Amino acid sequence: MGSVVKIVDNFLSETYFNSLQSYILSSTTQPWYYNDNISLNKKTNNLGGFGFSYTILKCKGEYLESYYDKYIESGSYTLRTLKKFLFQMQAVTGCDKILRSRMDMTVYSGKSKILEPHTDYKYPHTACIFYVNDSDGNTVIYDQMYNDKDGCNQELTIKKEIEPKANRLLVFDGMHIHTGHTPSKHNNRVLINSNFV
């Protein structure tokens, strides 16, 4: 993937996107789980950095050789609903295997807050962010890459900021340190964060 940041607008067909969006944003179909720290998915003192998430799929141990056979057919209804979407994303990345796919929702809490800079994994991978709704709270990708010596504790300069736009797919080298903002003009910011190798 290199240092290229790829943005694909209108990634899904209008009909498929509308169906997927309705399912995800419905108060009756899609469960959400509270996280104190939506960026790092662990409990830390990060006032205002809370959110909700739902893990669609996560590889444990070995990479998934065939996540369709092993996970999708026996997985959750959400996973089965998003099967086509996952395959379309994988095709854009040019990767062979998926590591994880997770829905994230940050919510309005007054003033926008920048979340903690991070990488999703500490080894080479491709990261994808798919925006489910129009919102504010830009995604920020930094010039700096994660390394074993400094981790994400580096002086950071912004490479690119991406506005959340419904049906927009963002693809980038997952070793780039990145983060996002909570929304200040919308009730929520909903995305699907996926990682491939």
Side-chain angles (χ1 to χ4, degrees), residues 6 8 34 36 41 57 80 143-144 158 168 184 189:
K6 183 176 184 178
V8 182
Y34 175 80
D36 279 337
N41 199 23
L57 180 147
R80 294 193 304 274
D143 288 310
Q144 290 68 32
I158 295 174
R168 168 175 282 173
S184 63
R189 171 183 179 265

Side-chain angles (χ1 to χ4, degrees), residues 63-130:
Y63 299 142
L64 302 183
E65 292 297 332
S66 174
Y67 67 87
Y68 177 82
D69 293 336
K70 191 172 180 183
Y71 287 81
I72 290 179
E73 289 305 304
S74 62
S76 69
Y77 185 77
T78 299
L79 178 55
R80 294 193 304 274
T81 301
L82 298 180
K83 172 178 67 175
K84 178 180 171 186
F85 165 73
L86 292 173
F87 283 132
Q88 285 184 241
M89 248 192 324
Q90 183 177 351
V92 169
T93 67
C95 293
D96 297 325
K97 299 163 185 161
I98 188 168
L99 291 170
R100 182 191 72 167
S101 186
R102 186 180 88 156
M103 294 185 200
D104 287 333
M105 179 194 296
T106 51
V107 296
Y108 175 83
S109 60
K111 190 175 177 182
S112 181
K113 174 183 174 63
I114 189 163
L115 301 170
E116 292 181 52
H118 64 280
T119 57
D120 299 331
Y121 289 91
K122 311 303 181 197
Y123 50 83
H125 65 283
T126 298
C128 293
I129 296 174
F130 179 77

Side-chain angles (χ1 to χ4, degrees), residues 135-151:
S135 188
D136 62 306
N138 288 356
T139 298
V140 179
I141 300 174
Y142 296 102
D143 288 310
Q144 290 68 32
M145 311 279 268
Y146 177 88
N147 64 66
D148 290 334
K149 179 184 172 196
D150 303 312

Side-chain angles (χ1 to χ4, degrees), residues 14-50:
E14 185 177 356
T15 303
Y16 182 44
F17 173 71
N18 289 340
S19 171
L20 181 146
Q21 184 188 53
S22 293
Y23 175 83
I24 292 171
L25 298 182
S26 168
S27 61
T28 58
T29 55
Q30 179 54 53
W32 292 93
Y33 301 97
Y34 175 80
N35 287 291
D36 279 337
N37 185 326
I38 196 68
S39 285
L40 302 180
N41 199 23
K42 63 182 182 181
K43 292 189 176 187
T44 60
N45 185 12
N46 186 30
L47 188 63
F50 69 92

Side-chain angles (χ1 to χ4, degrees), residues 156-176:
L156 301 173
T157 55
I158 295 174
K159 177 181 183 66
K160 193 164 187 72
E161 286 198 44
I162 300 90
E163 179 183 356
K165 181 179 177 186
N167 203 11
R168 168 175 282 173
L169 179 68
L170 167 63
V171 184
F172 61 98
D173 184 331
M175 295 302 283
H176 273 285

